Amino acid sequence: MPVSTRINPNNALNFSGGPGALPQAVLAQVQDAILNVPEVGLSVLGISHRSDWFAGVVQELENNIRQLLGLDLSYHVLFLQGGATQQFSMVPMTLLHGKTQPPEYLHTGYWSGKVLGEARHETPLRVLWSGEQEGFSRLPRDEELQFSADAPYFHYISNETVEGLQFNRVLGRDDVPRVCDMSSDFLSKPCEADRFSLIYAHAQKNIGPAGVTVVLIRDELLHDMPDNLPGWLDYRSHITAHSNYNTPPVFAIYVVLLVTRWLLRDVSGLTNMSAINQRKAALLYAALDDSDGFYRGRTAREDRSLMNVVFNLDSAAREQQFLAASQRAGFSGLSGHRAIGGVRASIYNGLELNAVEQLTQFMRDFQQKTR
Ligand SMILES: *Cc1c(COP(=O)(O)O)cnc(C)c1O
């Protein structure tokens, strides 16, 4: 291969939108566990999901998530398969029982569009606000939202991964169950989790590999629900079975446990994690803002995501040049989502500040050389 096209990825510079980069310290432990989990003497890939060890993994992970988010026993903590996408359906299948009013949703980006598509198979619904006309370039302000008191629930996405839009406040009424897809910012900062009735987040953006989705659900939501759901689609099956209703993804759950241990012991909690994530995002947005328009942020400043920094250059050709040069320099995962193109730097928990410093330096150098 000619040198100019050789790709030379460096895992520490993986800005992938998902599956995202995991902390190096966790990867080292995963490597050991593939060969031998010390307390068991077997590879993590071959340990029974019915073992005492795995029951302990689930219990510790549940406790860690409760501790990180300050959740009491009125919430169930579940580890499910099917990804966030399965929750798009399970939420209306569970929460609409006996209700006549439509649930309320926001349409703030690509992933909310997917949520709406699935929810509409289950129910008529009300879209309270849509950013589609404005190309999903901003999020709604409070004045633009009229929540109904009699809605069975209100659903939104805390961080729109594709467009790079993130809410920095909790939305909705306190007397209507709040449901949130936090797949791309879960455990990246404190989130007032106890103001939500149901939170779901798959692991593969911020807290682990693909294969497991965390669901936090308030017990009172399950008092009135349909009795004719297939067993797997009934949250109560998973609660009774301690997330072991059928064979769970043992490996993925174990890696998420290692990530929560890292958050608790190495990072010392979500307030610290949030401070680190803010510094990373501030560096990148400053690189955009100080570039005299060479790099253009896609979204309104007040709605900028701390997880996904999405930007454009002045032409698609220039973007291709940028992406190719970034790959040669060892960066990866910087192409924008296939739905919108451009450039996206995803800076999840596992990506270190130093990697962002290297990217901003690369951006300055690229700008200089191109001018
Ligand atoms: C990536 C993403 C999804 C898709 O999740 P799957 O696990 O692939 O079903 C859903 N919601 C958000 C916010 C995402 O970022």
CSV table of all heavy atoms in Angstrom, one decimal, residues 17-18 82-88 110-112 114-115 157-162 181-185 200-205 210-213 308 337 344 348, ligand 1:
chain,number,residue,atom,x,y,z
A,17,GLY,N,-18.5,6.7,17.1
A,17,GLY,CA,-19.8,7.0,17.6
A,17,GLY,C,-20.5,5.9,18.3
A,17,GLY,O,-21.4,6.1,19.1
A,18,GLY,N,-20.0,4.7,18.1
A,18,GLY,CA,-20.5,3.5,18.8
A,18,GLY,C,-20.5,2.3,17.9
A,18,GLY,O,-20.7,2.4,16.7
A,82,GLY,N,-31.5,-6.9,23.1
A,82,GLY,CA,-32.5,-6.2,22.1
A,82,GLY,C,-32.1,-4.8,21.9
A,82,GLY,O,-32.7,-4.1,21.1
A,83,GLY,N,-31.1,-4.3,22.6
A,83,GLY,CA,-30.7,-2.9,22.4
A,83,GLY,C,-31.7,-1.9,22.8
A,83,GLY,O,-32.8,-2.2,23.3
A,84,ALA,N,-31.3,-0.6,22.6
A,84,ALA,CA,-32.3,0.5,22.8
A,84,ALA,C,-33.5,0.3,22.0
A,84,ALA,O,-34.6,0.6,22.4
A,84,ALA,CB,-31.6,1.8,22.6
A,85,THR,N,-33.3,-0.2,20.8
A,85,THR,CA,-34.4,-0.4,19.8
A,85,THR,C,-35.5,-1.2,20.4
A,85,THR,O,-36.7,-0.9,20.2
A,85,THR,CB,-33.9,-1.0,18.5
A,85,THR,OG1,-32.9,-0.1,18.0
A,85,THR,CG2,-35.0,-1.2,17.5
A,86,GLN,N,-35.2,-2.3,21.1
A,86,GLN,CA,-36.3,-3.1,21.7
A,86,GLN,C,-37.1,-2.3,22.8
A,86,GLN,O,-38.3,-2.5,22.9
A,86,GLN,CB,-35.6,-4.3,22.4
A,86,GLN,CG,-36.6,-5.2,23.1
A,86,GLN,CD,-37.5,-6.0,22.0
A,86,GLN,OE1,-37.1,-7.0,21.5
A,86,GLN,NE2,-38.6,-5.4,21.7
A,87,GLN,N,-36.4,-1.3,23.4
A,87,GLN,CA,-37.1,-0.5,24.4
A,87,GLN,C,-38.1,0.5,23.7
A,87,GLN,O,-39.1,0.9,24.3
A,87,GLN,CB,-36.1,0.3,25.3
A,87,GLN,CG,-35.3,-0.6,26.1
A,87,GLN,CD,-36.1,-1.7,26.9
A,87,GLN,OE1,-37.0,-1.3,27.6
A,87,GLN,NE2,-35.8,-2.9,26.8
A,88,PHE,N,-37.8,0.9,22.5
A,88,PHE,CA,-38.7,1.8,21.7
A,88,PHE,C,-40.1,1.1,21.7
A,88,PHE,O,-41.1,1.9,21.7
A,88,PHE,CB,-38.2,2.0,20.3
A,88,PHE,CG,-36.9,2.6,20.1
A,88,PHE,CD1,-36.3,2.7,18.8
A,88,PHE,CD2,-36.2,3.2,21.1
A,88,PHE,CE1,-35.1,3.2,18.6
A,88,PHE,CE2,-34.9,3.7,20.9
A,88,PHE,CZ,-34.4,3.8,19.6
A,110,TYR,N,-32.3,12.1,14.7
A,110,TYR,CA,-32.3,10.8,14.0
A,110,TYR,C,-32.9,9.7,14.9
A,110,TYR,O,-33.8,9.0,14.5
A,110,TYR,CB,-30.9,10.4,13.5
A,110,TYR,CG,-30.8,9.1,12.9
A,110,TYR,CD1,-31.0,8.9,11.5
A,110,TYR,CD2,-30.4,8.0,13.7
A,110,TYR,CE1,-30.9,7.7,11.0
A,110,TYR,CE2,-30.3,6.7,13.1
A,110,TYR,CZ,-30.5,6.6,11.7
A,110,TYR,OH,-30.4,5.3,11.2
A,111,TRP,N,-32.3,9.6,16.1
A,111,TRP,CA,-32.8,8.5,17.0
A,111,TRP,C,-34.2,8.7,17.5
A,111,TRP,O,-35.0,7.7,17.6
A,111,TRP,CB,-31.8,8.2,18.1
A,111,TRP,CG,-30.6,7.5,17.6
A,111,TRP,CD1,-29.3,7.9,17.5
A,111,TRP,CD2,-30.6,6.2,17.0
A,111,TRP,NE1,-28.5,7.0,16.9
A,111,TRP,CE2,-29.3,5.9,16.6
A,111,TRP,CE3,-31.6,5.2,16.8
A,111,TRP,CZ2,-28.9,4.7,16.0
A,111,TRP,CZ3,-31.2,4.0,16.2
A,111,TRP,CH2,-29.9,3.7,15.8
A,112,SER,N,-34.6,9.9,17.7
A,112,SER,CA,-36.0,10.1,18.1
A,112,SER,C,-36.9,9.7,17.0
A,112,SER,O,-38.1,9.2,17.2
A,112,SER,CB,-36.5,11.5,18.5
A,112,SER,OG,-35.5,12.3,19.0
A,114,LYS,N,-36.5,7.2,14.9
A,114,LYS,CA,-36.6,5.8,15.0
A,114,LYS,C,-37.5,5.4,16.2
A,114,LYS,O,-38.3,4.5,16.1
A,114,LYS,CB,-35.2,5.2,15.3
A,114,LYS,CG,-34.2,5.4,14.2
A,114,LYS,CD,-34.5,4.4,13.1
A,114,LYS,CE,-33.5,4.6,11.9
A,114,LYS,NZ,-34.0,4.0,10.7
A,115,VAL,N,-37.4,6.1,17.3
A,115,VAL,CA,-38.3,5.9,18.4
A,115,VAL,C,-39.8,6.0,18.0
A,115,VAL,O,-40.6,5.2,18.3
A,115,VAL,CB,-38.0,6.8,19.6
A,115,VAL,CG1,-39.0,6.7,20.7
A,115,VAL,CG2,-36.6,6.6,20.1
A,157,ILE,N,-35.2,11.8,24.3
A,157,ILE,CA,-33.8,11.3,24.3
A,157,ILE,C,-32.9,12.4,24.8
A,157,ILE,O,-32.9,13.6,24.4
A,157,ILE,CB,-33.4,11.0,22.8
A,157,ILE,CG1,-34.2,9.8,22.3
A,157,ILE,CG2,-31.9,10.7,22.7
A,157,ILE,CD1,-33.8,9.3,21.0
A,158,SER,N,-32.1,12.1,25.8
A,158,SER,CA,-31.3,13.1,26.5
A,158,SER,C,-30.1,13.6,25.6
A,158,SER,O,-29.7,14.8,25.7
A,158,SER,CB,-30.7,12.5,27.8
A,158,SER,OG,-30.0,11.3,27.6
A,159,ASN,N,-29.6,12.7,24.8
A,159,ASN,CA,-28.5,13.1,23.9
A,159,ASN,C,-28.7,12.5,22.5
A,159,ASN,O,-28.7,11.3,22.4
A,159,ASN,CB,-27.1,12.6,24.5
A,159,ASN,CG,-25.9,13.0,23.6
A,159,ASN,OD1,-25.6,14.2,23.5
A,159,ASN,ND2,-25.3,12.1,23.0
A,160,GLU,N,-28.9,13.4,21.5
A,160,GLU,CA,-29.0,12.9,20.2
A,160,GLU,C,-27.7,12.7,19.6
A,160,GLU,O,-27.0,13.6,19.2
A,160,GLU,CB,-29.9,13.9,19.3
A,160,GLU,CG,-31.3,13.9,19.6
A,160,GLU,CD,-32.1,12.8,19.0
A,160,GLU,OE1,-31.5,11.9,18.3
A,160,GLU,OE2,-33.3,12.7,19.2
A,161,THR,N,-27.3,11.4,19.5
A,161,THR,CA,-26.0,11.0,19.1
A,161,THR,C,-25.5,11.4,17.7
A,161,THR,O,-24.3,11.6,17.5
A,161,THR,CB,-26.0,9.4,19.2
A,161,THR,OG1,-26.8,9.0,20.3
A,161,THR,CG2,-24.6,8.9,19.4
A,162,VAL,N,-26.5,11.4,16.8
A,162,VAL,CA,-26.1,11.6,15.4
A,162,VAL,C,-25.8,13.1,15.2
A,162,VAL,O,-24.8,13.5,14.6
A,162,VAL,CB,-27.2,11.1,14.5
A,162,VAL,CG1,-27.0,11.6,13.0
A,162,VAL,CG2,-27.3,9.6,14.6
A,181,ASP,N,-34.5,7.8,26.9
A,181,ASP,CA,-33.4,7.1,26.2
A,181,ASP,C,-32.1,7.8,26.5
A,181,ASP,O,-31.9,8.9,26.0
A,181,ASP,CB,-33.7,6.9,24.7
A,181,ASP,CG,-32.6,6.2,24.0
A,181,ASP,OD1,-31.5,5.9,24.6
A,181,ASP,OD2,-32.7,6.0,22.7
A,182,MET,N,-31.3,7.2,27.4
A,182,MET,CA,-30.0,7.9,27.7
A,182,MET,C,-28.8,7.1,27.1
A,182,MET,O,-27.7,7.1,27.6
A,182,MET,CB,-29.8,8.0,29.2
A,182,MET,CG,-30.8,8.9,29.9
A,182,MET,SD,-30.3,9.2,31.6
A,182,MET,CE,-31.8,10.2,32.2
A,183,SER,N,-29.1,6.4,26.0
A,183,SER,CA,-28.1,5.5,25.5
A,183,SER,C,-26.7,6.1,25.3
A,183,SER,O,-25.7,5.5,25.5
A,183,SER,CB,-28.5,4.9,24.1
A,183,SER,OG,-29.6,4.0,24.4
A,184,SER,N,-26.7,7.4,24.8
A,184,SER,CA,-25.4,8.0,24.5
A,184,SER,C,-24.8,8.9,25.6
A,184,SER,O,-23.8,9.6,25.3
A,184,SER,CB,-25.4,8.6,23.1
A,184,SER,OG,-26.4,9.5,23.0
A,185,ASP,N,-25.5,9.1,26.7
A,185,ASP,CA,-24.8,9.9,27.8
A,185,ASP,C,-25.0,9.3,29.2
A,185,ASP,O,-24.7,9.9,30.2
A,185,ASP,CB,-25.2,11.4,27.7
A,185,ASP,CG,-26.7,11.6,28.0
A,185,ASP,OD1,-27.5,10.7,28.2
A,185,ASP,OD2,-27.1,12.8,28.1
A,200,TYR,N,-33.6,4.0,29.9
A,200,TYR,CA,-32.9,2.9,29.3
A,200,TYR,C,-31.7,3.4,28.6
A,200,TYR,O,-31.7,4.6,28.1
A,200,TYR,CB,-33.8,2.1,28.4
A,200,TYR,CG,-34.5,2.8,27.2
A,200,TYR,CD1,-33.9,2.9,26.0
A,200,TYR,CD2,-35.7,3.5,27.4
A,200,TYR,CE1,-34.5,3.5,24.9
A,200,TYR,CE2,-36.3,4.2,26.3
A,200,TYR,CZ,-35.7,4.2,25.1
A,200,TYR,OH,-36.2,4.8,24.0
A,201,ALA,N,-30.7,2.6,28.5
A,201,ALA,CA,-29.4,2.9,27.9
A,201,ALA,C,-28.7,1.7,27.5
A,201,ALA,O,-28.4,0.8,28.4
A,201,ALA,CB,-28.6,3.7,28.8
A,202,HIS,N,-28.5,1.5,26.2
A,202,HIS,CA,-27.6,0.4,25.9
A,202,HIS,C,-26.2,0.7,26.3
A,202,HIS,O,-25.8,1.8,26.5
A,202,HIS,CB,-27.7,0.0,24.4
A,202,HIS,CG,-27.3,1.1,23.5
A,202,HIS,ND1,-27.7,1.3,22.2
A,202,HIS,CD2,-26.5,2.2,23.7
A,202,HIS,CE1,-27.1,2.3,21.6
A,202,HIS,NE2,-26.4,2.9,22.5
A,203,ALA,N,-25.4,-0.4,26.3
A,203,ALA,CA,-24.0,-0.2,26.8
A,203,ALA,C,-23.0,0.4,25.8
A,203,ALA,O,-22.1,1.1,26.2
A,203,ALA,CB,-23.4,-1.5,27.3
A,204,GLN,N,-23.3,0.2,24.5
A,204,GLN,CA,-22.2,0.3,23.6
A,204,GLN,C,-21.7,1.7,23.2
A,204,GLN,O,-20.9,1.9,22.3
A,204,GLN,CB,-22.5,-0.5,22.3
A,204,GLN,CG,-23.6,0.0,21.4
A,204,GLN,CD,-24.9,-0.6,21.6
A,204,GLN,OE1,-25.2,-1.0,22.7
A,204,GLN,NE2,-25.8,-0.6,20.7
A,205,LYS,N,-22.3,2.7,23.7
A,205,LYS,CA,-21.8,4.1,23.5
A,205,LYS,C,-20.8,4.4,24.6
A,205,LYS,O,-19.7,4.8,24.3
A,205,LYS,CB,-22.9,5.1,23.4
A,205,LYS,CG,-24.0,4.8,22.3
A,205,LYS,CD,-23.7,5.3,20.9
A,205,LYS,CE,-24.5,4.6,19.8
A,205,LYS,NZ,-25.9,4.8,19.9
A,210,ALA,N,-21.4,-3.9,22.9
A,210,ALA,CA,-22.8,-4.1,22.5
A,210,ALA,C,-23.3,-5.4,23.1
A,210,ALA,O,-22.5,-6.3,23.4
A,210,ALA,CB,-22.9,-4.2,21.0
A,211,GLY,N,-24.6,-5.5,23.3
A,211,GLY,CA,-25.2,-6.8,23.7
A,211,GLY,C,-26.0,-6.6,25.0
A,211,GLY,O,-26.8,-7.5,25.3
A,212,VAL,N,-25.9,-5.5,25.7
A,212,VAL,CA,-26.7,-5.4,26.9
A,212,VAL,C,-27.2,-4.0,27.0
A,212,VAL,O,-26.6,-3.0,26.6
A,212,VAL,CB,-25.9,-5.8,28.2
A,212,VAL,CG1,-24.7,-4.9,28.4
A,212,VAL,CG2,-26.8,-5.8,29.4
A,213,THR,N,-28.4,-3.9,27.5
A,213,THR,CA,-29.1,-2.6,27.7
A,213,THR,C,-29.6,-2.5,29.2
A,213,THR,O,-30.2,-3.4,29.7
A,213,THR,CB,-30.3,-2.5,26.8
A,213,THR,OG1,-29.9,-2.6,25.4
A,213,THR,CG2,-31.1,-1.2,27.0
A,308,ASN,N,-20.9,14.0,21.7
A,308,ASN,CA,-20.7,13.9,20.2
A,308,ASN,C,-20.6,15.3,19.7
A,308,ASN,O,-21.5,16.1,19.7
A,308,ASN,CB,-21.9,13.3,19.6
A,308,ASN,CG,-22.3,12.0,20.3
A,308,ASN,OD1,-23.3,12.0,21.1
A,308,ASN,ND2,-21.7,10.9,20.0
A,337,HIS,N,-22.3,10.4,11.0
A,337,HIS,CA,-23.2,9.3,10.8
A,337,HIS,C,-23.6,9.3,9.4
A,337,HIS,O,-23.8,10.3,8.7
A,337,HIS,CB,-24.4,9.5,11.7
A,337,HIS,CG,-25.4,8.4,11.8
A,337,HIS,ND1,-26.4,8.3,10.9
A,337,HIS,CD2,-25.4,7.3,12.6
A,337,HIS,CE1,-27.1,7.1,11.2
A,337,HIS,NE2,-26.5,6.5,12.2
A,344,ARG,N,-17.8,13.7,13.0
A,344,ARG,CA,-18.3,13.6,14.4
A,344,ARG,C,-17.2,13.0,15.2
A,344,ARG,O,-16.7,11.9,15.0
A,344,ARG,CB,-19.5,12.7,14.4
A,344,ARG,CG,-20.0,12.4,15.8
A,344,ARG,CD,-21.2,11.6,15.9
A,344,ARG,NE,-21.2,10.3,15.2
A,344,ARG,CZ,-22.1,9.3,15.3
A,344,ARG,NH1,-23.2,9.5,15.9
A,344,ARG,NH2,-21.9,8.2,14.6
A,348,TYR,N,-16.8,9.8,24.4
A,348,TYR,CA,-17.4,9.2,25.5
A,348,TYR,C,-16.5,9.0,26.7
A,348,TYR,O,-15.3,9.3,26.6
A,348,TYR,CB,-17.9,7.8,25.1
A,348,TYR,CG,-18.9,7.8,23.9
A,348,TYR,CD1,-18.7,7.2,22.8
A,348,TYR,CD2,-20.1,8.6,24.1
A,348,TYR,CE1,-19.6,7.2,21.7
A,348,TYR,CE2,-21.0,8.6,23.0
A,348,TYR,CZ,-20.8,7.9,21.9
A,348,TYR,OH,-21.7,8.0,20.8
B,1,LIG,C1,-27.2,4.3,19.0
B,1,LIG,C2,-28.5,4.7,19.6
B,1,LIG,C3,-29.7,3.9,19.6
B,1,LIG,C4,-29.7,2.5,18.9
B,1,LIG,O1,-29.5,1.5,19.8
B,1,LIG,P1,-29.4,-0.1,19.5
B,1,LIG,O2,-28.8,-0.6,20.7
B,1,LIG,O3,-28.6,-0.2,18.3
B,1,LIG,O4,-30.8,-0.5,19.3
B,1,LIG,C5,-30.8,4.3,20.3
B,1,LIG,N1,-30.8,5.5,20.9
B,1,LIG,C6,-29.8,6.3,20.9
B,1,LIG,C7,-29.9,7.6,21.7
B,1,LIG,C8,-28.6,5.9,20.3
B,1,LIG,O5,-27.5,6.8,20.4
